[in-house]
């Protein structure tokens, strides 16, 4: 993977999106809340009514790496593909290199926010085990949602479809889980929330391993589906890109 490719996904636009999100999250955080409290979502168990603010904050936390991934892949699938695909060994190699960039962009997003909040003294009371659980479930979730959005972008060539998939998952599904709290532990977005009822007790490793395992399986299936589509529909051969 070249430095140039990484700079294409973490360009000035992507960095600006991340920085604006960090600022919004910190400004709206109650006091000096830890990174787990800020990005860890919420638990609908024991609450009444729809947690509109919590749902909006959760979408704000997850959206930036998804948006950056969609913008990056839409550029790579456009006229640029006529040059980049030809220069690579195969369409598989072309896709894998760009998919790694998508995964890394989400990890960089999370790690940078962790560093920023730690430097500002937000994470003083966080235990190592809690932080590890948070980073695992959140990073897997944003990677999964980015993978689904990118796959739908590749197959449909529509930004609208890719964005709708995000709002359907982290918007619609979260609303359903909030309305039916007992079902939330079975709904995909809540698997990425460290503050979800299933993760509140760290000795519940069966739930952790099950949800993370299913999420990884899903993202692998979507990535394979995207690769198979590209093999059958080479973007460099698309008349719109020539």
């Amino acid at each position: 993977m070249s430095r140039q490719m990484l700079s294409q996904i973490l360009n000035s636009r992507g960095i600006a999106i991340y920085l604006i999100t960090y600022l919004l999250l910190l400004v709206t955080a109650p006091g000096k809340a830890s990174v787990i409290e800020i990005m860890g979502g919420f638990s609908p168990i024991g609450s009444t009514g729809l947690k509109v603010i919590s749902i909006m904050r959760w979408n704000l936390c997850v959206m930036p790496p998804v948006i950056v991934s969609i913008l990056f892949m839409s550029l790579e699938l456009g006229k640029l593909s006529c040059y980049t695909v030809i220069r690579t060994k195969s369409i598989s190699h072309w896709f894998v290199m760009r998919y790694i960039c998508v995964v890394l962009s989400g990890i960089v997003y999370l790690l940078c926010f962790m560093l920023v909040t730690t430097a500002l003294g937000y994470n003083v009371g966080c235990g190592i085990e809690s932080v590890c659980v948070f980073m695992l479930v959140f990073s897997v979730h944003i990677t999964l949602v980015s993978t689904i959005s990118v796959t739908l972008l590749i197959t449909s060539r529509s930004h609208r479809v890719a964005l709708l998939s995000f709002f359907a998952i982290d918007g619609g599904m979260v609303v359903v889980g909030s309305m039916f709290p007992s079902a939330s532990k079975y709904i995909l977005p809540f698997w990425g929330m460290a503050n979800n009822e299933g993760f509140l007790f760290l000795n519940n490793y069966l739930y952790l391993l099950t949800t993370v395992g299913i999420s990884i399986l899903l993202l692998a299936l979507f990535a394979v589906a995207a690769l198979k589509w590209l093999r059958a529909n080479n973007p460099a051969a698309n008349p719109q890109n020539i």
Side-chain angles (χ1 to χ4, degrees):
M1 185 192 312
S2 66
R3 183 181 302 178
Q4 180 182 3
M5 194 182 302
L6 282 174
S7 66
Q8 288 173 354
I9 192 167
L10 293 174
N11 54 18
S12 57
R13 180 173 55 184
I15 293 172
I17 291 173
Y18 287 177
L19 290 177
I20 292 171
T21 303
Y22 296 161
L23 180 61
L24 288 173
L25 291 174
L26 291 175
V27 168
T28 58
K32 280 205 170 183
S34 69
V35 66
I36 300 175
E37 294 171 305
I38 296 173
M39 280 186 158
F42 63 96
S43 176
I45 305 296
S47 63
T48 57
L50 196 63
K51 292 187 173 182
V52 177
I53 300 300
S54 296
I55 294 172
M56 291 175 65
R57 283 185 62 83
W58 173 249
N59 277 263
L60 178 61
C61 291
V62 180
M63 186 184 295
V66 178
I67 295 295
V68 168
S69 298
I70 292 174
L71 291 173
F72 167 70
M73 284 304 299
S74 64
L75 177 64
E76 292 295 316
L77 289 167
K79 295 185 182 299
L80 190 63
S81 65
C82 295
Y83 307 99
T84 56
V85 172
I86 293 174
R87 292 203 301 264
T88 55
K89 294 182 292 185
S90 64
I91 193 65
S92 298
H93 183 265
W94 181 91
F95 172 72
V96 168
M97 291 299 99
R98 280 145 187 83
Y99 182 65
I100 290 174
C101 286
V102 169
V103 174
L104 288 179
S105 69
I107 294 175
V108 168
Y109 166 74
L110 175 57
L111 289 178
C112 286
F113 191 67
M114 175 67 74
L115 291 174
V116 169
T117 50
T118 301
L120 295 175
Y122 280 71
N123 303 320
V124 176
C126 291
I128 294 177
E129 194 172 17
S130 300
V131 171
C132 289
V133 170
F134 159 70
M135 294 192 70
L136 174 63
V137 298
F138 188 78
S139 60
V140 169
H141 180 72
I142 58 177
T143 303
L144 171 58
V145 179
S146 295
T147 303
I148 293 174
S149 297
V150 165
T151 299
L152 292 176
L153 174 68
I154 290 172
T155 55
S156 68
R157 298 299 177 94
S158 170
H159 297 83
R160 183 177 299 178
V161 172
L163 285 172
L164 284 176
S165 69
F166 165 77
F167 288 112
I169 295 171
D170 281 301
M173 287 186 179
V174 175
V175 169
V176 172
S178 297
M179 294 174 63
F180 304 97
S182 59
S184 63
K185 62 182 179 180
Y186 304 109
I187 299 177
L188 190 149
F190 291 93
W191 300 350
M193 299 184 186
N195 292 325
N196 179 24
E197 186 72 18
F199 298 124
L200 292 181
F201 301 99
L202 295 178
N203 59 350
N204 193 357
Y205 285 112
L206 178 59
Y207 180 76
L208 173 66
L209 294 175
T210 301
T211 54
V212 170
I214 295 175
S215 296
I216 292 175
L217 177 61
L218 286 173
L219 71 86
L221 290 174
F222 273 95
V224 170
L227 178 56
K228 286 190 174 182
W229 177 272
L230 287 171
R231 285 174 176 168
N233 303 270
N234 193 318
N238 190 325
Q240 294 181 349
N241 296 340
I242 299 175

